[in-house]
Amino acid sequence: MGKIEAKLKALGYELPPPFVFPKQNRTGCTQAGSLLFLSGHGLDLPKLPGVRQTGKFGVDITVEEGYATARAVALTMMATMKAHCGDLDRVKRVLRLFGMCNCTPDFAQHPAVIDGASDLFYEVWGHELGRHARSAVGHVSLPRGIAVEINGEFELA
């Protein structure tokens, strides 16, 4: 077990199996040089307290549930990275996250929801390597009714 997975374990997490995309025309990530681009993740989330696979903010999901859900999405992203790289210690830096919330038009707490993922990457990779650029936006729908979808870019060693 590498240093990053040991940090996850110390936080009480383990990686779920990586999500398998339903069509061959897309994949969980692609690599260009030392950059790793992750597709939107938000399906097949680990069963953790507060996690909501589907639903809509402003109707039936709280910000606290959204935060837990975004953390679970981050774990699925890490599972994809590990499947691609073989070891999360190869991930040198978290560069950018783009988080989307399934919400009503008047819901405005997207940043507080996506902080679940940002905080986990920050806790695991630390201040210098885990701090990242980010967008957090709302949409009136997301694929399959999922609550949160996040994609991102990472630098590999």
mmCIF file of all heavy atoms in Angstrom, residues 9 15 30 48 60 83 98 101 113 126 149:
data_model
loop_
_atom_site.group_PDB
_atom_site.id
_atom_site.type_symbol
_atom_site.label_atom_id
_atom_site.label_comp_id
_atom_site.label_asym_id
_atom_site.label_seq_id
_atom_site.Cartn_x
_atom_site.Cartn_y
_atom_site.Cartn_z
ATOM 1 N N LYS A 9 -6.752 5.329 4.247
ATOM 2 C CA LYS A 9 -7.102 4.343 5.270
ATOM 3 C C LYS A 9 -7.135 4.986 6.653
ATOM 4 O O LYS A 9 -8.029 4.721 7.454
ATOM 5 C CB LYS A 9 -6.123 3.168 5.242
ATOM 6 C CG LYS A 9 -6.501 2.047 6.171
ATOM 7 C CD LYS A 9 -5.580 0.856 6.018
ATOM 8 C CE LYS A 9 -6.044 -0.259 6.936
ATOM 9 N NZ LYS A 9 -5.256 -1.464 6.784
ATOM 10 N N LEU A 15 -10.783 2.479 -1.239
ATOM 11 C CA LEU A 15 -11.217 2.752 -2.608
ATOM 12 C C LEU A 15 -12.263 1.739 -3.066
ATOM 13 O O LEU A 15 -12.104 0.540 -2.837
ATOM 14 C CB LEU A 15 -10.029 2.710 -3.563
ATOM 15 C CG LEU A 15 -8.977 3.793 -3.383
ATOM 16 C CD1 LEU A 15 -7.834 3.577 -4.360
ATOM 17 C CD2 LEU A 15 -9.579 5.173 -3.550
ATOM 18 N N THR A 30 -8.189 9.800 -19.537
ATOM 19 C CA THR A 30 -7.219 9.749 -20.625
ATOM 20 C C THR A 30 -5.974 10.497 -20.161
ATOM 21 O O THR A 30 -6.059 11.414 -19.347
ATOM 22 C CB THR A 30 -7.742 10.384 -21.930
ATOM 23 O OG1 THR A 30 -8.080 11.745 -21.689
ATOM 24 C CG2 THR A 30 -8.941 9.637 -22.474
ATOM 25 N N LEU A 48 -21.538 5.098 1.994
ATOM 26 C CA LEU A 48 -21.011 5.784 3.178
ATOM 27 C C LEU A 48 -22.129 6.617 3.798
ATOM 28 O O LEU A 48 -23.085 6.978 3.108
ATOM 29 C CB LEU A 48 -19.842 6.692 2.787
ATOM 30 C CG LEU A 48 -18.626 5.998 2.174
ATOM 31 C CD1 LEU A 48 -17.661 7.015 1.603
ATOM 32 C CD2 LEU A 48 -17.940 5.142 3.227
ATOM 33 N N ASP A 60 -34.754 17.551 -2.140
ATOM 34 C CA ASP A 60 -34.676 16.398 -1.236
ATOM 35 C C ASP A 60 -33.275 16.009 -0.786
ATOM 36 O O ASP A 60 -33.095 14.966 -0.181
ATOM 37 C CB ASP A 60 -35.384 15.193 -1.862
ATOM 38 C CG ASP A 60 -34.786 14.762 -3.197
ATOM 39 O OD1 ASP A 60 -33.814 15.389 -3.666
ATOM 40 O OD2 ASP A 60 -35.297 13.802 -3.784
ATOM 41 N N ALA A 83 -6.580 2.605 -11.003
ATOM 42 C CA ALA A 83 -6.691 1.599 -12.062
ATOM 43 C C ALA A 83 -5.839 1.981 -13.266
ATOM 44 O O ALA A 83 -5.230 1.127 -13.906
ATOM 45 C CB ALA A 83 -8.152 1.432 -12.473
ATOM 46 N N PHE A 98 -13.977 20.160 -11.540
ATOM 47 C CA PHE A 98 -15.186 20.817 -12.032
ATOM 48 C C PHE A 98 -16.358 20.034 -11.472
ATOM 49 O O PHE A 98 -16.590 18.890 -11.857
ATOM 50 C CB PHE A 98 -15.220 20.829 -13.569
ATOM 51 C CG PHE A 98 -16.396 21.582 -14.116
ATOM 52 C CD1 PHE A 98 -16.355 22.956 -14.243
ATOM 53 C CD2 PHE A 98 -17.546 20.915 -14.487
ATOM 54 C CE1 PHE A 98 -17.439 23.654 -14.739
ATOM 55 C CE2 PHE A 98 -18.642 21.598 -14.981
ATOM 56 C CZ PHE A 98 -18.593 22.979 -15.110
ATOM 57 N N CYS A 101 -23.786 20.122 -9.473
ATOM 58 C CA CYS A 101 -24.843 19.714 -8.560
ATOM 59 C C CYS A 101 -26.165 19.682 -9.311
ATOM 60 O O CYS A 101 -26.487 20.617 -10.049
ATOM 61 C CB CYS A 101 -24.970 20.712 -7.410
ATOM 62 S SG CYS A 101 -23.516 20.873 -6.387
ATOM 63 N N VAL A 113 -21.185 22.078 -1.326
ATOM 64 C CA VAL A 113 -21.330 20.670 -1.701
ATOM 65 C C VAL A 113 -20.012 20.131 -2.246
ATOM 66 O O VAL A 113 -19.481 19.115 -1.762
ATOM 67 C CB VAL A 113 -22.461 20.492 -2.743
ATOM 68 C CG1 VAL A 113 -22.456 19.080 -3.324
ATOM 69 C CG2 VAL A 113 -23.817 20.830 -2.127
ATOM 70 N N GLY A 126 -2.319 17.111 0.641
ATOM 71 C CA GLY A 126 -1.694 18.200 1.387
ATOM 72 C C GLY A 126 -1.845 19.562 0.737
ATOM 73 O O GLY A 126 -2.381 19.702 -0.359
ATOM 74 N N GLU A 149 -21.823 15.357 -9.912
ATOM 75 C CA GLU A 149 -20.873 14.845 -10.905
ATOM 76 C C GLU A 149 -19.640 15.720 -10.855
ATOM 77 O O GLU A 149 -19.745 16.950 -10.777
ATOM 78 C CB GLU A 149 -21.470 14.863 -12.311
ATOM 79 C CG GLU A 149 -20.536 14.286 -13.354
ATOM 80 C CD GLU A 149 -21.180 14.131 -14.725
ATOM 81 O OE1 GLU A 149 -22.365 14.444 -14.889
ATOM 82 O OE2 GLU A 149 -20.458 13.706 -15.645
#
